[in-house]
Amino acid sequence: MQRHGSGGSAVIPFRAAGFALLLAHLSLVGWLTLRPLDLPWVMAPNLEPLAGIRAALSAGPLEAARRIGGGLALLAPLGVLLPLASGRLEAGPWASLARTVLAGGLVSMGIELLQTVVPGRVVDVDAVLLAMTGVALAHLAVVPVWRGRLRRRLERPSGAVRGGSGPRPGGRGGGGVAREEVSQGATPRIPRVGVAP
């Protein structure tokens, strides 16, 4: 229980930084995707899944890398920034991945819906698929390692304090972990003393 309390206070700076970076990233994404474009013509909306990806692949390797890579990278930082802003160290890896990918998909769908009223922008269902894939890849590459390192960092000082007050690791009692599990007995009671009239 003590670890959760100290971990909660130690995670606050990470949450604040994650929230600030999340707002900055979403502002940049909004500027990139929702500003009007002055184009002589625009492509038709793509509502068929994977049709835009197939068209990008048929346009050549450079164009495919630009379109697909841009779609993957646009919201990929959300895969790290959303868990960082939430500050959950004890979250299960699959539940965290599912929550993060779902949130990234909702952000991407919101952007696509807002683009319907922006001149020069069209809806592309493949943009949502690529964004969700990018969020998932970034999450899997960074978040489990980051959470593991932060948990070990937060456990180390509390383990040193427990070990310092108990027996030495080489002595009787088997170190700080065994000392924590051993019962200390009943709490001493002080007898009540009557008050004179």
Side-chain angles (χ1 to χ4, degrees):
M1 293 294 183
Q2 182 181 2
R3 188 183 73 204
H4 292 293
S6 62
S9 61
V11 168
I12 289 174
F14 290 103
R15 291 185 70 183
F19 190 71
L21 290 172
L22 181 63
L23 287 178
H25 177 69
L26 289 177
S27 299
L28 176 65
V29 167
W31 181 78
L32 288 173
T33 58
L34 298 176
R35 60 192 170 119
L37 297 178
D38 187 19
L39 298 173
W41 61 275
V42 292
M43 295 174 56
N46 174 28
L47 301 177
E48 180 187 346
L50 304 179
I53 294 174
R54 283 195 298 269
L57 291 173
S58 65
L62 291 177
E63 186 64 18
R66 186 184 70 79
R67 286 190 199 170
I68 296 173
L72 290 172
L74 182 65
L75 293 180
L78 294 183
V80 178
L81 296 177
L82 287 172
L84 184 63
S86 76
R88 294 180 181 171
L89 290 181
E90 302 299 329
W94 297 114
S96 175
L97 177 66
R99 275 193 307 269
T100 306
V101 171
L102 180 62
L106 290 174
V107 170
S108 181
M109 284 183 5
I111 290 170
E112 293 301 315
L113 289 176
L114 288 173
Q115 284 182 340
T116 59
V117 296
V118 177
R121 302 284 185 175
V122 293
V123 176
D124 186 0
V125 70
D126 289 338
V128 177
L129 298 176
L130 289 172
M132 291 175 72
T133 304
V135 168
L137 292 174
H139 183 89
L140 290 171
V142 176
V143 173
V145 175
W146 169 75
R147 279 191 174 137
R149 285 184 180 172
L150 190 56
R151 275 195 296 261
R152 285 192 298 273
R153 180 176 160 193
L154 292 176
E155 287 173 355
R156 198 175 305 140
S158 60
V161 170
R162 283 196 307 264
S165 61
R168 300 273 179 199
R172 291 178 298 181
V177 175
R179 172 127 178 125
E180 183 182 10
E181 295 172 0
V182 175
S183 173
Q184 300 296 319
T187 304
R189 296 181 181 259
I190 300 173
R192 292 182 179 248
V193 179
V195 177

